[in-house]
Amino acid sequence: MREPISSYPRVRVRGDGRRVVSQAGAVLLVETVRKTGLGQAISEALAPWRKLRAVHDPGKVLLDLALAVALGGDCLADVAILRCEPAVFGPVASDPTVSRLIDTLAASGEKALQAIRYARAEVRSRVWSLAGKNAPDTDGQVTVDLDGVLVIAHSDKQDAAPTWKRTYGHHPLTAFVDHGPGGTGEPVAALLRPGNAGSNTAADHITTAQLALAQLPKKYRRGRRTLIRTDSAGGTHDFVSWLAKRGRWLTYSVGMVITEAIHQHVLKIPGLAWTPAVEANGQVRDGAWVAELTGKLLEGWPSGMRLIVRKERPHPGAQLRITDADGMRITCFATNTSGRPIAELELRHRLRARAEDRIRAARSTGLRNLPLHHTAQNKVWLEIMQIALDLLAWMPMLALTGQARLWEPRRLRFRLFSAAAQLVTTGRRRILRLTQHWPWAGEITGALERLALLPSPG
């Protein structure tokens, strides 16, 4: 009887290898930090928190944590993945030093958070300038998507509470800049809230929008060139009035709850008033129509607001809601954009679904759980997570081309960052030699060449 043959070759494993670097592809993130000036900006921002005769710079420690999160870490101790590769990441602080810094920043409250946010906003303007035609404002408009996300807590943490989905944890409100169909997106705000925080709390939406606008270049912090999109949680009088306030003049596209009044108006719309909805490629969307509602429904809302409703045949197996009509799924949104076809405005609002992709990326980059106990500490963690997501958005925007620019964090880690290399030292130079058979070695070297061509920060 023949012995079974294994499908995999048998190898012997020894732990005495030298001059081999794991996670060598992460040099892409290190070069992005260098070329954008993020390291210098964070170090200057956190200079007041550097103790006399301290060995480690607080800015470097915070960036090391962000790099560890970008590589897939989900707790402070995961910074060890950088500590074991000093040839690539330099000296990395010990776990007690990292914990003490987080406690110090948390004790400083909003002062430390504002310092970090100011540094990120300063660097963001430089990154968009370096990106050129790949920048999210290349068409003269910036789109910011606001959306809430539930973060499950598996242990008792400060401000953790039952959520509306009958889970337990927190309910942060986030904001992302949409890079459009040719890119991904970058975070510009994350407001930590208890798990029982309301989905349609206008004050929280206003605070998150303020944090998001402060991250944009100054010319986009007010005016029609900035579009704020939300789901129906943002469809409140107070939030819409804040967006449309005189002197702010922001463009908005806000989902609205289907009230009984809206439902009755939809039933009265004549058939000829419905316009076919369109897809992103300009083709007619099968089984979907849009119409504009007018009259008393707009009383009490800011002037210039338009109310647009869509009806669509539900997908097979979908359950109709009480607000649906004639077997059609009904949705509604409000906007203050004029002079454009309602089908085009409905498509623009529907593309808000890309925010779900950004939330999925955030969950795999530090938002799967909040690792610390106190709320002040987890607020610092959210800033670290956002820096990690910034790097994961800026690096493809500056260095990758084609479909690679659309890769989400998990794919970037699998194909690029996890590549191994041999470290060669010649004179005063250190060279990483990527393995030749790695399928994406060309993507890594090509991206490094593009980063090398960018001007260094002053």
Side-chain angles (χ1 to χ4, degrees):
M1 184 175 179
R2 296 183 60 184
E3 295 184 3
I5 300 175
S6 174
S7 301
Y8 300 97
R10 186 185 298 272
V11 297
R12 295 181 180 272
V13 179
R14 300 174 61 178
D16 56 357
R18 297 181 180 180
R19 316 303 290 179
V20 177
V21 177
S22 60
Q23 300 288 331
V27 71
L28 287 168
L29 298 177
V30 175
E31 287 302 311
T32 301
V33 169
R34 182 178 292 110
K35 287 295 184 177
T36 59
L38 181 61
Q40 181 180 353
I42 295 292
S43 294
E44 291 177 356
L46 297 185
W49 286 270
R50 182 166 188 171
K51 295 182 179 180
L52 189 64
R53 287 180 286 185
V55 175
H56 295 282
D57 176 21
K60 172 67 162 57
V61 175
L62 201 75
L63 272 178
D64 285 342
L65 283 170
L67 287 171
V69 173
L71 294 176
D74 60 3
C75 65
L76 300 182
D78 285 337
V79 76
I81 197 174
L82 275 64
R83 190 181 298 118
C84 64
E85 301 294 355
V88 177
F89 303 105
V92 176
S94 63
D95 288 346
T97 301
V98 171
S99 296
R100 284 194 296 269
L101 175 63
I102 299 300
D103 291 340
T104 300
L105 296 178
S108 300
E110 287 298 316
K111 185 178 179 180
L113 299 179
Q114 290 174 2
I116 298 171
R117 291 165 183 165
Y118 179 82
R120 290 177 56 220
E122 181 182 1
V123 175
R124 194 179 314 279
S125 296
R126 171 176 168 78
V127 172
W128 289 14
S129 177
L130 292 175
K133 65 179 182 179
N134 292 331
D137 63 340
T138 185
D139 59 352
Q141 187 173 58
V142 174
T143 301
V144 179
D145 292 316
L146 274 61
D147 207 348
V149 54
L150 296 180
V151 180
I152 306 300
H154 298 284
S155 61
D156 192 20
K157 297 176 182 177
Q158 187 179 9
D159 285 338
T163 71
W164 61 276
K165 279 195 173 181
R166 299 184 180 180
T167 57
Y168 182 79
H170 297 82
H171 188 189
L173 193 58
T174 61
F176 296 88
V177 171
D178 185 17
H179 286 186
T184 54
E186 56 190 282
V188 284
L191 180 65
L192 184 58
R193 306 188 301 166
N196 56 3
S199 297
N200 57 350
T201 305
D204 291 344
H205 278 79
I206 292 174
T207 301
T208 305
Q210 289 173 329
L211 293 174
L213 292 172
Q215 283 294 307
L216 303 180
K218 290 184 178 180
K219 62 181 178 180
Y220 295 115
R221 294 178 185 177
R222 63 178 69 242
R224 298 298 190 199
R225 291 182 294 180
T226 301
L227 169 66
I228 304 293
R229 289 190 304 205
T230 73
D231 56 9
S232 58
T236 60
H237 280 81
D238 290 343
F239 184 55
V240 174
S241 298
W242 183 87
L243 292 171
K245 185 177 180 180
R246 185 179 181 87
R248 192 169 288 119
W249 301 121
L250 296 168
T251 301
Y252 59 84
S253 184
V254 177
M256 302 293 286
V257 176
I258 304 295
T259 62
E260 179 61 24
I262 293 177
H263 186 257
Q264 292 300 322
H265 274 72
V266 170
L267 295 177
K268 297 176 183 177
I269 298 176
L272 295 177
W274 291 98
T275 301
V278 297
E279 298 283 10
N281 58 6
Q283 300 296 320
V284 173
R285 183 177 177 87
D286 185 39
W289 299 267
V290 294
E292 184 170 0
L293 302 179
T294 57
K296 294 183 179 181
L297 286 175
L298 301 179
E299 292 181 358
W301 293 89
S303 60
M305 190 183 90
R306 305 174 66 185
L307 201 59
I308 299 173
V309 64
R310 181 188 71 174
K311 67 177 183 179
E312 185 174 16
R313 295 193 189 99
H315 299 293
Q319 297 294 320
L320 291 175
R321 298 169 295 192
I322 194 172
T323 54
D324 294 331
D326 297 331
M328 296 285 188
R329 175 61 50 85
I330 303 298
T331 56
C332 184
F333 71 97
T335 183
N336 59 347
T337 302
S338 60
R340 295 174 62 177
I342 59 175
E344 183 179 336
L345 296 176
E346 190 275 332
L347 172 63
R348 184 185 70 176
H349 183 76
R350 195 178 348 125
L351 292 177
R352 195 203 65 81
R354 283 201 285 254
E356 300 298 331
D357 298 333
R358 308 288 77 79
I359 289 177
R360 182 173 62 248
R363 287 186 183 279
S364 66
T365 312
L367 198 58
R368 183 179 62 86
N369 69 301
L370 299 177
L372 305 171
H373 178 76
H374 297 289
T375 297
Q377 296 172 323
N378 283 321
K379 287 183 177 180
V380 178
W381 176 262
L382 284 184
E383 296 301 319
I384 294 171
M385 177 211 73
Q386 290 180 82
I387 295 174
L389 287 172
D390 280 336
L391 291 173
L392 292 173
W394 293 344
M395 187 277 291
M397 186 165 63
L398 295 174
L400 297 182
T401 60
Q403 286 297 312
R405 282 196 62 210
L406 300 175
W407 290 351
E408 292 190 359
R410 289 181 178 178
R411 183 161 294 182
L412 288 172
R413 293 169 193 145
F414 178 75
R415 294 187 174 183
L416 302 185
F417 302 154
S418 63
Q422 179 186 14
L423 179 64
V424 178
T425 304
T426 60
R428 296 183 178 180
R429 295 187 303 168
R430 285 177 291 187
I431 303 173
L432 284 178
R433 291 183 174 175
L434 298 171
T435 177
Q436 293 182 354
H437 62 265
W438 188 251
W440 302 282
E443 293 282 359
I444 299 174
T445 55
L448 290 172
E449 290 172 358
R450 297 183 193 98
L451 287 173
L453 295 176
L454 298 177
S456 299

